Amino acid sequence: MAYDTDSAGNKKANAKPLSGGVISRSVLRWYDRHARDLPWRIGPAARKAGEKPDPYAVWLSEIMLQQTTVSTVTPRYAEFLSRWPNVQAMAGASLDDVLGQWAGLGYYARARNLHKCAQVVAALGGFPDTEEALKKLPGVGDYTAAAIAAIAFDAHAVVVDGNIERVVSRLFAIDTPLPRAKSQIKECAEKIWPKKRSGDFAQGLMDLGASVCRPKAPNCLLCPVSTYCKARIARQPEAFPVKAKKKPKPTRRGAVFVLVNANNEVLFERRPEQGLLGGMLGLPGAPWAEGLPGSIELSAPADVAWEKKGDIEHVFTHFRLVLNVYAGVAPKGFRRKKDQQWIAPSNAKLPTVMAKALSAGFER
């Protein structure tokens, strides 16, 4: 261990000089022993035995994991794979079926792009195996292209997700605040990235960030590269990555209407393809805006005696939403619009915010 002295003349430890080869070998050895068992992953032992990852499984899991936790995705991934076991099956599905299966996972543009991408890949006859070609697919950005290239095809692609971002920023003590630090983090990751076993190294860093180099209370004693970590030597690993101060989220308001017919079905409508919750089923309602919603009579689907059931709140990435929920009974002779349909509540596959509103509409 090398030592230096602080301003008071006290000895303090320095991190060992960073060596890309040493770092990558240490992480890979750790991964070989401690890899997480995930349903979409081919573990290190299976890889060494010659088993190859399924690009479809890698792609599907990476799209589902964007902005969503592993614990949430795991059961939903199994449902998707059971229903559409390969890209050709998903390409042949209807968009409505894919959107319905996606309900509750959030960021619904991912589901629309999932369907588009499946159709493109099926037409191509399979997934391309390079970052550049993968980036041309619908819904596949820089990160996802690198992840698929590395994990599915073992290409030399530098993958930086949230876990890897944290590990690398601590290893190099990168003090530039996010998101400005992203390019610097990727440059530093490139310095330690191996030419072989690129996919295993990416997954090793992901697992290290998830289980050891956690956001809070990282377990540095179990870290295979702790002696090289500048943040640990400085005794402030939790200070990295440095994050810019968050701006307060604005509040938008709106209204939704739970209209019930004689068969105890509820009136739903398909939201526009573009925009938030695009293409998903929703309750008819007033547009969301910062400020109080306008007159409910102008946005109500029927002229009935609406009963206000209360408010529900939902937090999106960039704003907080408050919806006034109203309930009413469809009058005789009511005719729905072309984009509306009657569905039994138990059969409606809804995004989380609409499921909350529907539940509130039936409260006594």
Side-chain angles (χ1 to χ4, degrees):
M1 177 71 71
Y3 290 92
D4 202 347
T5 55
D6 59 22
S7 57
N10 299 315
K11 271 188 175 182
K12 63 177 185 178
N14 285 334
K16 287 183 180 179
L18 279 169
S19 164
V22 173
I23 295 292
S24 60
R25 286 193 295 272
S26 299
V27 170
L28 285 168
R29 281 196 297 268
W30 179 88
Y31 176 69
D32 287 344
R33 294 192 300 271
H34 303 289
R36 287 180 292 177
D37 183 15
L38 300 174
W40 48 83
R41 176 183 286 181
I42 299 299
R47 274 214 178 196
K48 287 179 181 177
E51 190 172 347
K52 293 184 178 180
D54 177 4
Y56 171 73
V58 175
W59 162 74
L60 179 60
S61 66
E62 288 296 336
I63 299 299
M64 296 183 79
L65 284 165
Q66 291 171 12
Q67 306 293 327
T68 311
T69 63
V70 167
S71 59
T72 298
V73 167
T74 299
R76 302 299 301 275
Y77 170 83
E79 293 169 6
F80 265 80
L81 204 61
S82 174
R83 189 162 185 182
W84 302 298
N86 53 54
V87 74
Q88 290 80 13
M90 182 172 288
S94 72
L95 177 58
D96 281 356
D97 282 348
V98 175
L99 288 170
Q101 192 69 39
W102 193 272
L105 284 171
Y107 299 91
Y108 294 94
R110 291 182 297 164
R112 296 195 298 276
N113 282 326
L114 192 78
H115 188 248
K116 288 180 187 176
C117 187
Q119 293 179 323
V120 171
V121 172
L124 289 173
F127 282 88
D129 60 2
T130 66
E131 274 188 271
E132 290 307 311
L134 286 162
K135 286 179 190 178
K136 296 176 182 177
L137 299 176
V140 177
D142 291 348
Y143 162 76
T144 307
I148 297 171
I151 298 170
F153 301 107
D154 207 27
H156 181 79
V158 178
V159 186
V160 183
D161 73 344
N163 282 319
I164 296 176
E165 197 171 69
R166 184 167 57 256
V167 172
V168 173
S169 65
R170 288 174 175 173
L171 196 58
F172 289 86
I174 296 171
D175 57 9
T176 304
L178 289 169
R180 285 194 295 118
K182 286 184 177 293
S183 60
Q184 188 179 354
I185 290 171
K186 188 161 187 177
E187 288 174 7
C188 289
E190 178 72 62
K191 295 176 183 178
I192 61 173
W193 213 268
K195 292 182 179 179
K196 295 182 179 179
R197 295 190 68 188
S198 180
D200 283 351
F201 184 69
Q203 292 174 116
L205 286 179
M206 291 174 187
D207 287 7
L208 192 62
S211 61
V212 175
C213 194
R214 301 168 301 216
K216 299 292 183 184
N219 195 339
C220 297
L221 291 175
L222 297 181
C223 179
V225 293
S226 62
T227 55
Y228 303 90
C229 180
K230 294 182 179 180
R232 184 194 72 86
I233 297 302
R235 297 182 181 178
Q236 49 180 352
E238 290 186 26
F240 301 92
V242 179
K243 296 183 179 179
K245 289 185 178 179
K246 289 185 179 179
K247 295 180 180 179
K249 291 185 179 182
T251 297
R252 297 183 190 175
R253 298 179 183 274
V256 290
F257 302 88
V258 180
L259 186 67
V260 182
N261 67 12
N263 296 321
N264 289 319
E265 297 169 321
V266 172
L267 185 70
F268 293 99
E269 61 186 25
R270 186 71 61 184
R271 294 179 62 84
E273 285 290 325
Q274 302 302 317
L276 201 60
L277 308 183
M280 299 297 294
L281 274 181
L283 294 163
W288 307 342
E290 292 183 32
L292 295 174
S295 172
I296 68 164
E297 288 81 4
L298 297 178
S299 52
D303 184 12
V304 301
W306 292 103
E307 177 187 358
K308 185 174 181 183
K309 291 291 190 174
D311 300 333
I312 63 109
E313 294 186 14
H314 189 77
V315 179
F316 290 97
T317 306
H318 301 297
F319 67 94
R320 170 177 166 267
L321 177 66
V322 178
L323 289 179
N324 303 145
V325 181
Y326 297 87
V329 177
K332 288 184 178 179
F334 172 81
R335 301 185 70 176
R336 61 179 176 82
K337 296 178 181 177
K338 287 184 178 179
D339 63 342
Q340 296 175 332
Q341 53 188 307
W342 294 107
I343 303 176
S346 59
N347 294 333
K349 294 184 177 180
L350 303 172
T352 303
V353 62
M354 291 298 168
K356 287 182 184 178
L358 179 65
S359 179
F362 282 95
E363 288 181 359
R364 296 185 180 277

